[in-house]
């Protein structure tokens, strides 16, 4: 993903997400589990920001 540091095109974002999902799958997670974990963590982050963490 070296090219992502210099090029932030839509194609590069799509490749980055694909690589991320593939890594998760290699670790035994499916795409639904990865998405749910992201959403859950994002909710925690918003709560922390709202509370002045």
């Amino acid at each position: 993903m070296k090219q992502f540091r210099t090029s932030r095109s839509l194609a590069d974002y799509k490749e980055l997400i694909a690589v991320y999902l593939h890594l998760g799958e290699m670790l035994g997670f499916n795409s639904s589990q990865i998405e749910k974990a992201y959403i859950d963590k994002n909710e925690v982050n918003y709560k922390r920001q709202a509370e002045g963490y």
Side-chain angles (χ1 to χ4, degrees):
M1 293 307 319
K2 287 181 185 180
Q3 75 270 19
F4 189 72
R5 293 179 187 188
T6 58
S7 171
R8 304 244 166 110
S9 69
L10 179 58
D12 288 338
Y13 274 104
K14 287 181 178 182
E15 183 178 350
L16 181 66
I17 294 298
V19 169
Y20 179 77
L21 291 175
H22 182 68
L23 174 62
E25 289 170 353
M26 289 173 54
L27 295 170
F29 300 98
N30 64 40
S31 60
S32 295
Q33 291 170 312
I34 295 168
E35 181 180 8
K36 183 176 181 335
Y38 173 82
I39 291 169
D40 291 348
K41 178 61 174 148
N42 204 28
E43 289 175 3
V44 170
N45 291 344
Y46 276 113
K47 183 179 178 187
R48 287 179 175 169
Q49 288 177 354
E51 294 173 351
Y53 179 111

